[in-house]
Amino acid sequence: MVGFPPMKSALPTELEKKLPGLLEALLPALARSADPEHAPRLAGELLAAVLREDGENLRKAWAERPKELLRIVSSLCGAAPFLAHWLAVHPSALARLAREDFGKRTREDYARLLEGFLKKNPSWEEAENVLRRFKYYEFARITVRDLSSDLVSEEASEEIFLELSALADVLLDAALRFAQEKLAREAGPPVWDTAQGKQPVSFCVLGLGKLGGGELNYSSDVDLLYIHESLAGEPHGGPGGLSPQEYFSRLANLFGRLVTEQTAEGFLHRIDLDLRPQGRSGPLVVSEEFLSTYYEAWAAAWERAAFAKARPVAGDGRLGWRAIRALDRAVYRSTMDLTGVAAIAEMKRKVESSRGEGAARDVKVGPGGIRDVEFVAQALQLLHGGRIPQVRTHGTQDALRALSEVGLLPKEGTRELLAAYRFLRRLENRLQMESERQTHFIPTEPSALRRLARSMGYLEQDGIERLEREFARHRETVRRFFGPLLGADGEERILELFLRAAPRFAASPATRASLEDLARHFAQEVDSSADPRRAFSNLARFVEGVGSRTFYYGLLLDRPELVPRLVNLFASSDYLSEYFAVHPRLIEPIFSDPQVLLLTRAQLEKSLRQIQKEFSPDETRGEVESALGALRLFRNRELINIGLLDLAGKVTLDEVESSLTDVAEVCVQAALELARKETRGKNVPPHWRFLVAGMGKLGSRELAYGSDLDVVFFYDGPSEEEELEAQEYFVRLAQKFIWALTARTGEGVCYEIDARLRPSGRQGMLVASLSSFRSYHGKFGAVWERQALLRARGVSGDKAFAEAFDHLRREILSRPLSKESAGEIRHVRERMEKELARERPGRYDFKTG
């Protein structure tokens, strides 16, 4: 602690004259304090300083609240001398503190009390000082509570961390308000013009780490993440000509200065921003949209584990909670996230390997320390939080209790783990409350060790030995839990997956032995794969998808030579592995002859017909459901088959794209046939013609594994009298076609359809006649729409009509371009890079960037 002047000595006899009876009562209390050797001198200096400046109130406090006054002086002078110094510099605080009831306070209590401390419209400097005085006053009150077992028992010590966190919340929120008011005066309020009109933009500070978990200690940094609301349109005309990113970065800097600067009154908190997206190299403030994209696509397992504790601590809480809830699925995977657990284990191993000399006495990162308990809770939360929402809690103690309630931790063991955590956290507080230093090391110097032991309540002669003994006992408890959770080898972990998913299959010794062999085989392949962590995680998803259906285990036991093929897939592609997790029956291509390469178009059509027979209607599903299910199974199975050949290096990129396009065209043809059956109405005249034109990658036969199908629908043939009737029919036909491919069934979705490349885009008719298409491109068609026609071709429908469409396409493309066309093309490309790619350092879009 810096910034406070030293106190002058005062003779005890002078105190006795002005405060009769105080010395006689105080000396025994100081003898029971954490530091009976130095506390009497410090207490004398404190009381003498207060007598000089606030003697009347001190005498009244001694007359009316003697017990409380003795408790405050003996507690702070013995265990937290930096707070005794603070009280001497702010003498009126001691009498006020003696009048406190020392009960538990909530965030609402602190917010109400702070308002009483603040003047109306304080200056920046006044706010800076008042916030700090409020902090240290409440620190003194909390410290007295913490050191008094009759006020806060060891079992209830969680209250102290919650109070420290609630106090930090209120201070940070107030600091943000002052920073917002200052910036609004200087630059203007955060309102921008967009195509939708003027839009105010909200800002929120998220707390992570111990602050997010409501577990702050005396000298914790506060881990923060700054976010602002995303705008619906492109912003312009903002305050001071600043973009939202620039404006809120200024706000964050103002806020950070108010919180962290050391003044004569101390400081509020040290801020750590390393947990923001991309860490120290990332932007200071991120938009809500950027946050979502980052965590869904890029965040490492340790970042997801850290974000599990996120909560709004200042600013717009609604924005904060909305952003957090949007990331629930990114943080907590729907299947067991063993990759995340493995990453946590790896991070923990790195911490252990970097420990220096004396790490065994580090209560935080030493073996069996605070960090180990937090890792146990976080690992189990990541592993099961996607399936068991009850364990998605913020605080470590809440997480351990929730994990016990759902049976993921043994109840007796959880009690031991909680007791160890509470002991270690109390020890951490006692170390830090002496001088508000960020220390976690148990001292070896005898007098410092004795003071620490006494502050923990070990007042007897053997207090140091008791402290060391309890520390060793609780560390051993933690290591008992941490070792098995993250130290098991691959074979044991894979066997555990099998046993958990299919316990009945392992009931007999014979099948148990077979599963052990299978686990051993998988472990060898996973360990030697290109990406063991990904392979293990995807294997876990697959086993969970298989569940107790022993048929699949039997297949793998009968054909163990196919395990490497399966593991290769799991190690190489999350996208394809996800199909297995959701639809284990897709395992069939794994058992296909690996020497058979890609199927021809005729073979694909034959394969679909065979699957359609297998999906014939029965009492559980009708004709339509059967057709939809067959179509999806065909597509998924062929996708897996192509992927396996691709991963094995047996096919070229051109062959993959061509084959994926063939599969899509077979599905498009089948979907159109189904749509025609399902479209009600009179018999369609034979001269009415319909065409599904493929655009984009479908048109150019360059489909990728996850491609949408870009299509445009055309019709031709109706007379003028038939036009309205034909248009209505073909729109319904196109809608049924889209439904046939996009409807979700038990087999999933076949393809997503994008029909926005039609004339006038979303505002245009879903189906266009050939004549209206010719007219549109003659009068309105933009250069980029002509550009899209370069890859257009008919993929399903009337063959003669497809030739007519191609003739018209070539005619449109042959028309001369204006001089401005090159500029228009460049403008469209720049808009794509700016509005779609949104690249920034560390985030690149290899499609539109």
Side-chain angles (χ1 to χ4, degrees), residues 658-721:
S658 178
S659 190
L660 288 170
T661 305
D662 281 342
V663 171
E665 289 186 23
V666 170
C667 290
V668 165
Q669 181 62 38
L672 182 56
E673 290 171 5
L674 178 60
R676 283 188 166 127
K677 288 181 184 177
E678 288 297 300
T679 304
R680 302 287 182 258
K682 70 168 192 173
N683 291 331
V684 180
H687 57 279
W688 288 10
R689 300 186 297 178
F690 184 75
L691 179 70
V692 179
M695 313 287 281
K697 287 186 170 60
L698 174 61
S700 62
R701 294 187 56 80
E702 296 173 313
L703 282 183
Y705 288 101
S707 293
D708 296 346
L709 301 186
D710 292 299
V711 297
V712 177
F713 303 107
F714 295 100
Y715 70 92
D716 196 24
S719 63
E720 288 187 17
E721 296 77 18

Side-chain angles (χ1 to χ4, degrees), residues 104-116 134 138 141 162-163 165-171 173 177 311-313 321:
K104 179 182 177 182
R105 282 182 179 164
T106 64
R107 176 170 178 162
E108 291 71 26
D109 294 329
Y110 286 125
R112 175 176 47 79
L113 290 165
L114 179 58
E115 288 305 312
F134 183 75
E138 289 300 329
R141 191 192 65 82
L162 289 168
E163 285 190 75
S165 302
L167 175 61
D169 287 359
V170 169
L171 292 169
D173 192 53
R177 288 202 312 273
R311 65 180 180 86
V313 296
W321 282 119

Side-chain angles (χ1 to χ4, degrees), residues 290 829 832-849:
F290 177 90
R829 181 75 195 106
M832 287 178 65
E833 291 181 9
K834 185 177 181 182
E835 298 174 17
L836 297 181
R838 296 186 178 182
E839 291 188 330
R840 58 189 67 84
R843 182 191 181 280
Y844 304 103
D845 188 317
F846 60 79
K847 180 179 179 182
T848 57

Side-chain angles (χ1 to χ4, degrees), residues 462-762:
D462 65 343
I464 292 178
E465 290 76 12
R466 285 188 60 192
L467 173 65
E468 297 279 17
R469 197 162 54 244
E470 285 297 287
F471 180 48
R473 181 173 70 85
H474 287 303
R475 285 175 57 209
E476 182 54 35
T477 295
V478 176
R479 294 304 288 175
R480 271 205 328 269
F481 274 85
F482 185 81
L485 177 68
L486 300 180
D489 64 26
E491 183 181 329
E492 292 173 355
R493 290 159 69 193
I494 292 171
L495 180 60
E496 183 184 347
L497 292 178
F498 293 157
L499 297 179
R500 187 184 302 165
R504 291 184 181 178
F505 192 66
S508 75
T511 53
R512 167 74 183 230
S514 296
L515 279 182
E516 289 174 353
D517 288 341
L518 187 60
R520 190 175 303 112
H521 192 179
F522 265 112
Q524 291 167 352
E525 294 299 331
V526 166
D527 189 52
S528 60
S529 68
D531 190 337
R533 289 180 183 171
R534 174 185 283 178
F536 191 76
S537 180
N538 285 325
L539 171 61
R541 295 181 188 183
F542 172 68
V543 171
E544 189 170 87
V546 168
S548 59
R549 289 173 284 186
T550 57
F551 166 75
Y552 295 102
Y553 299 104
L555 283 177
L556 291 169
L557 287 167
D558 289 341
R559 298 281 301 277
E561 73 276 9
L562 296 172
V563 169
R565 203 172 187 213
L566 191 58
V567 171
N568 184 37
L569 178 76
F570 289 157
S572 305
S573 174
D574 290 332
Y575 176 75
L576 296 176
S577 298
E578 184 65 25
Y579 279 106
F580 279 108
V582 179
H583 307 294
R585 66 185 294 172
L586 292 175
I587 198 173
E588 291 176 26
I590 293 289
F591 294 89
S592 301
D593 184 352
Q595 303 309 314
V596 175
L597 297 184
L598 298 170
L599 301 184
T600 64
R601 176 68 178 265
Q603 289 172 322
L604 288 172
E605 291 170 349
K606 182 179 178 181
S607 174
L608 175 58
R609 288 194 296 273
Q610 182 60 40
I611 292 175
Q612 287 170 335
K613 289 179 183 177
E614 297 170 7
F615 259 80
S616 57
D618 56 27
E619 63 276 3
T620 63
R621 59 175 178 246
E623 186 174 342
V624 174
E625 290 82 3
S626 299
L628 294 177
L631 198 55
R632 281 144 183 76
L633 179 59
F634 163 77
R635 184 257 183 178
N636 293 341
R637 201 158 74 178
E638 292 308 323
L639 200 71
I640 293 293
N641 190 49
I642 295 167
L644 288 168
L645 292 167
D646 189 3
L647 292 172
K650 294 180 178 293
V651 287
T652 66
L653 174 62
D654 286 346
E655 288 172 326
V656 168
E657 292 177 339
S658 178
S659 190
L660 288 170
T661 305
D662 281 342
V663 171
E665 289 186 23
V666 170
C667 290
V668 165
Q669 181 62 38
L672 182 56
E673 290 171 5
L674 178 60
R676 283 188 166 127
K677 288 181 184 177
E678 288 297 300
T679 304
R680 302 287 182 258
K682 70 168 192 173
N683 291 331
V684 180
H687 57 279
W688 288 10
R689 300 186 297 178
F690 184 75
L691 179 70
V692 179
M695 313 287 281
K697 287 186 170 60
L698 174 61
S700 62
R701 294 187 56 80
E702 296 173 313
L703 282 183
Y705 288 101
S707 293
D708 296 346
L709 301 186
D710 292 299
V711 297
V712 177
F713 303 107
F714 295 100
Y715 70 92
D716 196 24
S719 63
E720 288 187 17
E721 296 77 18
E722 297 173 316
E723 184 66 29
L724 287 177
E725 183 183 5
Q727 197 173 75
E728 179 185 349
Y729 169 78
F730 286 121
V731 166
R732 284 191 286 119
L733 179 63
Q735 289 170 337
K736 281 292 182 183
F737 169 84
I738 293 172
W739 162 82
L741 290 174
T742 62
R744 183 169 293 280
T745 73
E747 299 293 328
V749 170
C750 197
Y751 288 99
E752 296 294 343
I753 297 296
D754 189 338
R756 289 176 295 176
L757 290 176
R758 64 185 184 269
S760 300
R762 287 175 176 166

Side-chain angles (χ1 to χ4, degrees), residues 241-309:
L242 301 172
S243 68
Q245 178 71 29
E246 293 167 330
Y247 183 92
F248 290 113
S249 292
R250 281 198 192 181
L251 176 62
N253 282 318
L254 270 177
F255 167 76
R257 204 174 78 209
L258 182 53
V259 171
T260 61
E261 277 191 353
Q262 183 80 48
T263 74
E265 294 287 352
F267 69 103
L268 292 182
H269 284 285
R270 289 175 290 268
I271 291 177
D272 189 333
L273 299 172
D274 287 356
L275 293 180
R276 69 186 188 268
Q278 300 172 355
R280 294 179 182 177
S281 63
L284 180 62
V285 182
V286 298
S287 70
E288 186 181 2
E289 182 182 7
F290 177 90
L291 185 71
S292 177
T293 300
Y294 180 81
Y295 273 89
E296 287 174 0
W298 304 106
W302 68 265
E303 291 177 292
R304 292 190 291 107
F307 197 82
K309 289 190 174 186

Side-chain angles (χ1 to χ4, degrees), residues 15-330:
L15 298 178
E16 184 61 27
K17 290 177 185 177
K18 295 180 179 179
L19 298 169
L22 176 60
L23 199 58
E24 183 181 355
L26 183 58
L27 287 175
L30 292 171
R32 294 190 301 273
S33 73
D35 192 358
E37 182 180 353
H38 299 101
R41 179 192 60 81
L42 189 54
E45 293 174 348
L46 167 62
L47 291 169
V50 176
L51 266 175
R52 285 193 301 271
E53 303 293 333
D54 196 36
E56 183 59 35
N57 281 325
L58 180 59
R59 283 189 286 271
K60 188 181 292 187
W62 172 237
E64 296 174 0
R65 308 274 289 184
K67 181 182 176 183
E68 287 73 13
L69 189 63
L70 291 172
R71 187 200 297 267
I72 294 165
V73 174
S74 61
S75 295
L76 300 185
C77 291
F82 89 95
L83 288 170
H85 281 269
W86 185 85
L87 285 175
V89 177
H90 300 85
S92 64
L94 180 58
R96 187 166 75 248
L97 202 58
R99 294 194 295 271
E100 294 284 0
D101 63 3
F102 290 99
K104 179 182 177 182
R105 282 182 179 164
T106 64
R107 176 170 178 162
E108 291 71 26
D109 294 329
Y110 286 125
R112 175 176 47 79
L113 290 165
L114 179 58
E115 288 305 312
F117 265 66
L118 289 166
K119 296 178 182 178
K120 283 191 174 180
N121 304 317
S123 67
W124 180 266
E125 291 73 19
E126 286 172 335
E128 197 171 46
N129 290 328
V130 169
L131 291 178
R132 283 155 175 75
R133 286 197 291 271
F134 183 75
K135 169 200 166 176
Y136 286 108
Y137 176 82
E138 289 300 329
F139 258 36
R141 191 192 65 82
I142 292 171
T143 302
V144 173
R145 274 173 48 74
D146 193 9
L147 291 164
S148 305
S149 58
D150 60 322
L151 295 176
V152 181
S153 66
E154 184 176 342
E155 289 72 22
S157 60
E158 191 173 5
E159 288 183 11
I160 299 300
F161 311 130
L162 289 168
E163 285 190 75
L164 288 168
S165 302
L167 175 61
D169 287 359
V170 169
L171 292 169
L172 293 171
D173 192 53
L176 180 60
R177 288 202 312 273
F178 289 122
Q180 287 171 321
E181 290 168 4
K182 181 176 175 65
L183 185 58
R185 288 193 300 270
E186 295 173 354
V191 179
W192 281 266
D193 294 323
T194 70
Q196 287 73 34
K198 289 189 177 296
Q199 290 191 39
V201 179
S202 297
F203 179 83
C204 183
V205 179
L206 299 183
L208 293 87
K210 283 188 167 60
L211 176 61
E215 300 169 325
L216 218 56
N217 54 34
Y218 276 83
S219 196
S220 291
D221 293 350
V222 287
D223 294 294
L224 302 181
L225 195 163
Y226 304 133
I227 63 170
H228 70 77
E229 192 175 12
S230 296
L231 282 165
E234 190 69 25
H236 57 88
L242 301 172
S243 68
Q245 178 71 29
E246 293 167 330
Y247 183 92
F248 290 113
S249 292
R250 281 198 192 181
L251 176 62
N253 282 318
L254 270 177
F255 167 76
R257 204 174 78 209
L258 182 53
V259 171
T260 61
E261 277 191 353
Q262 183 80 48
T263 74
E265 294 287 352
F267 69 103
L268 292 182
H269 284 285
R270 289 175 290 268
I271 291 177
D272 189 333
L273 299 172
D274 287 356
L275 293 180
R276 69 186 188 268
Q278 300 172 355
R280 294 179 182 177
S281 63
L284 180 62
V285 182
V286 298
S287 70
E288 186 181 2
E289 182 182 7
F290 177 90
L291 185 71
S292 177
T293 300
Y294 180 81
Y295 273 89
E296 287 174 0
W298 304 106
W302 68 265
E303 291 177 292
R304 292 190 291 107
F307 197 82
K309 289 190 174 186
R311 65 180 180 86
V313 296
D316 187 341
R318 287 177 299 179
L319 165 64
W321 282 119
R322 185 173 72 224
I324 291 167
R325 294 289 174 253
L327 294 183
D328 271 355
R329 295 176 75 175

